[in-house]
Amino acid sequence: MQIKRFPMPARLLAGICAIAVASAAPKVAQAETLADALVGAYTHSGLLQQNRALLRAADEDVATAVATLKPVLSWSASLTQNFGQLRTTASRTSIDNDDLTAAINLASSLVLYDFGSRQFRIEAAKESVLATREALIGIEQQVLLRAVGAYMGVLEASEFVALRQNNVRLLTEEQRAATDRFEVGEVTRTDVALAQAQLAQARSGLAAAQGDLISATEEYRNVVGRAPGRLRQPPGLPKIDRDVNAAKALALRIHPSMRAAQHQVAAADLLAEATEADMKPTISLTGRLTVTENLNANEFNRGGSVGIEAGQTIYQGGSLSATARQAKARADAQRGNLHVTRHNVQQDVGNAYATLSTVQAQLAASERQVRAARIAFRGIREEATLGARTTLDVLDAEQALLDAQSLQVSARAAAYVAAYSILSATGRLTAKDLRLPVQIYDPKEYYNLVKDSPAKKSKEGKKLDRVLRALQKD
């Protein structure tokens, strides 16, 4: 079937021009920036709060290990009622043996020397704390990278909705124009049905885009802690190294996964040393005070003792040897984990650079595609006014322009996520590195309060209780 050529109606031409101008016009500056979203994610994240609490729990492991080198002081008290009768051969009489006895014991002990077993465990706990700190930095990077994805996701979905709305408006005009021309016999019913089908498809696409925007908004709310306002396009990509090999070398030095794995190896080695020392003697200082008084008679016993004890487990069914071998095997496992982590970090850096290179190429191509599609659209629009093109030709060109703009929007969003992924892969996506205007969580503050294992009633212990109350979450 040959499609008839006819001039473009003024109403439809005006609508197309308005859409083209709106698509080409620069975005108005918005209120909320990417930095605002990152700040919100850092302060809102329950995942960060959870892992900060886990870090504080690891800090307490140091306090528990330090306590094993301090004196142990304990007391016990008893009140005993004895009853009965006593009869001897000499007296041939029965004597009541009823009395009430009270006793109080105070005991203390202090390990003087254990061949370093407890000190090894203290150092191992410190290494575990350092590993947990690095794990917290890794969680921080995950939270901030997810915030970048959520921010760009809302921007991308919003632009898709705007493009789809423009498409629906244009096809609505086309459908009306096709109906009007059909009534005067300029086009066939096929042209009207085609316009109706294109409009229905456009409305379906708009509904899908609006659904994607709702999903992106919920993701943003989950990550940042609030609904997105009007979002501003980020001004430019973050500064990253151009040399991928230099970036890999940097990641091996500073990435939190690498540092955590290194501290885990050190902790496992120290625990292996501790298990070896457990099989050697232990020397302790002991002391005891005892007060016993018979409440039914004027009798008492008061005394004490001080001594040095030494002891060693000679045989325990092979349990100590098995524990030592197990500790060495775990140390070997941590070295294997370090090897795996090293290669994973290098691969993540390489993948991030490859992704950024790909999306940048796609972005450049989509920009050229948009320019070419816009020129084609304008040319076909002019030809349509002269009757050399049909409305369908104009709509096809406009649809090609919208498709090119959609690709450009997706590539731009992907480029930002890829660039920040490189920062994450190299260990530089933190609130401190990004210079976010937030109060940076100091992992050393709590550790410094508990590292010497303060008693609950001491000055340091009371200060620690106040800190814990401030940190407690509902």
Side-chain angles (χ1 to χ4, degrees):
M1 181 184 66
Q2 185 177 5
I3 300 176
K4 296 178 62 177
R5 306 288 178 175
F6 47 85
M8 179 72 64
R11 184 175 59 178
L12 182 57
L13 179 60
I16 294 174
C17 292
I19 293 171
V21 171
S23 300
K27 298 288 183 182
V28 180
Q30 306 300 324
E32 192 167 349
T33 65
L34 177 58
D36 295 331
L38 294 175
V39 169
Y42 184 84
T43 56
H44 163 75
S45 174
L47 188 59
L48 281 176
Q49 295 173 6
Q50 174 190 1
N51 283 271
R52 288 167 184 167
L54 292 176
L55 175 58
R56 295 194 296 272
D59 293 341
E60 298 292 355
D61 288 337
V62 176
T64 301
V66 169
T68 62
L69 292 179
K70 294 183 177 181
V72 177
L73 186 64
S74 62
W75 66 271
S76 63
S78 64
L79 185 64
T80 306
Q81 173 68 57
N82 296 317
F83 54 88
Q85 291 182 334
L86 176 65
R87 181 176 181 177
T88 63
T89 303
S91 63
R92 296 180 180 274
T93 60
S94 297
I95 303 174
D96 291 336
N97 194 22
D98 297 343
D99 59 41
L100 181 63
T101 304
I104 298 177
N105 296 296
L106 182 64
S108 65
S109 63
L110 175 64
V111 175
L112 299 178
Y113 189 67
D114 63 353
F115 290 87
S117 173
R118 287 166 175 77
Q119 189 61 47
F120 284 138
R121 284 182 167 81
I122 292 173
E123 297 303 321
K126 291 179 179 179
E127 292 292 339
S128 295
V129 165
L130 296 176
T132 310
R133 288 181 186 176
E134 297 299 332
L136 177 60
I137 295 176
I139 295 296
E140 179 181 339
Q141 292 203 140
Q142 294 176 20
V143 169
L144 295 180
L145 183 59
R146 186 178 176 186
V148 173
Y151 188 92
M152 298 309 301
V154 172
L155 276 178
E156 181 182 12
S158 299
E159 294 190 40
F160 280 162
V161 169
L163 291 174
R164 292 293 183 179
Q165 287 172 339
N166 286 338
N167 192 23
V168 168
R169 284 194 293 268
L170 180 59
L171 292 178
T172 300
E173 292 292 335
E174 160 59 15
Q175 193 269 337
R176 291 173 182 171
T179 300
D180 292 341
R181 295 190 195 99
F182 173 73
E183 292 177 354
V184 297
E186 292 183 350
V187 297
T188 66
R189 184 174 297 275
T190 302
D191 297 299
V192 177
L194 181 59
Q196 291 173 341
Q198 288 177 324
L199 177 58
Q201 182 179 2
R203 287 173 175 168
S204 175
L206 175 59
Q210 290 172 335
D212 292 340
L213 178 57
I214 293 174
S215 298
T217 299
E218 292 302 323
E219 170 69 5
Y220 188 95
R221 192 195 306 272
N222 183 14
V223 175
V224 181
R226 61 178 182 273
R230 294 177 301 166
L231 303 186
R232 181 185 304 171
Q233 277 286 354
L237 296 178
K239 184 179 179 180
I240 57 176
D241 297 325
R242 295 185 177 181
D243 187 355
V244 63
N245 292 324
K248 288 181 178 180
L250 176 65
L252 291 179
R253 292 196 307 271
I254 70 171
H255 196 279
S257 295
M258 278 296 300
R259 289 181 170 179
Q262 290 167 349
H263 289 303
Q264 288 167 353
V265 169
D269 286 339
L270 288 166
L271 288 176
E273 294 286 345
T275 56
E276 290 287 344
D278 287 342
M279 294 186 286
K280 298 178 180 179
T282 300
I283 301 175
S284 302
L285 175 66
T286 61
R288 180 179 294 272
L289 292 175
T290 302
V291 175
T292 303
E293 184 169 352
N294 192 329
L295 301 181
N296 293 336
N298 190 18
E299 299 176 357
F300 64 86
N301 181 15
R302 299 170 183 171
S305 63
V306 176
I308 295 178
E309 297 180 355
Q312 178 183 8
T313 301
I314 299 176
Y315 180 71
Q316 199 175 2
S319 174
L320 293 178
S321 298
T323 302
R325 293 192 299 270
Q326 183 185 60
K328 291 178 181 178
R330 287 176 175 170
D332 291 339
Q334 292 298 337
R335 289 188 178 86
N337 177 62
L338 177 60
H339 177 78
V340 172
T341 301
R342 179 185 297 111
H343 289 283
N344 286 343
V345 166
Q346 290 177 319
Q347 180 183 0
D348 289 344
V349 173
N351 290 342
Y353 270 89
T355 301
L356 179 61
S357 177
T358 300
V359 296
Q360 283 181 329
Q362 291 174 344
L363 180 59
S366 66
E367 290 173 351
R368 293 191 295 269
Q369 184 179 357
V370 168
R371 288 195 298 268
R374 184 173 290 119
I375 293 172
F377 167 72
R378 291 172 179 171
I380 293 175
R381 181 191 62 193
E382 293 296 329
E383 293 174 2
T385 61
L386 301 175
R389 294 280 187 173
T390 66
T391 302
L392 180 59
D393 294 329
V394 176
L395 294 180
D396 287 342
E398 196 273 342
Q399 185 63 47
L401 176 59
L402 291 178
D403 291 341
Q405 290 172 330
S406 298
L407 291 175
Q408 185 181 34
V409 169
S410 296
R412 183 165 53 241
Y416 277 94
V417 175
Y420 280 95
S421 295
I422 289 178
L423 294 182
S424 176
T426 53
R428 294 176 294 166
L429 187 60
T430 65
K432 181 178 180 180
D433 291 322
L434 297 177
R435 298 181 180 179
L436 297 180
V438 296
Q439 183 177 356
I440 304 296
Y441 181 79
D442 184 6
K444 297 180 182 179
E445 183 177 0
Y446 186 85
Y447 174 81
N448 291 334
L449 291 174
V450 303
K451 65 179 181 179
D452 294 325
S453 188
K456 183 174 180 62
K457 298 299 182 180
S458 66
K459 179 180 179 181
E460 293 79 5
K462 294 178 179 178
K463 181 180 179 181
L464 185 57
D465 286 340
R466 291 193 296 270
V467 171
L468 286 173
R469 286 193 294 270
L471 290 172
Q472 188 174 9
K473 300 294 181 181
D474 294 333

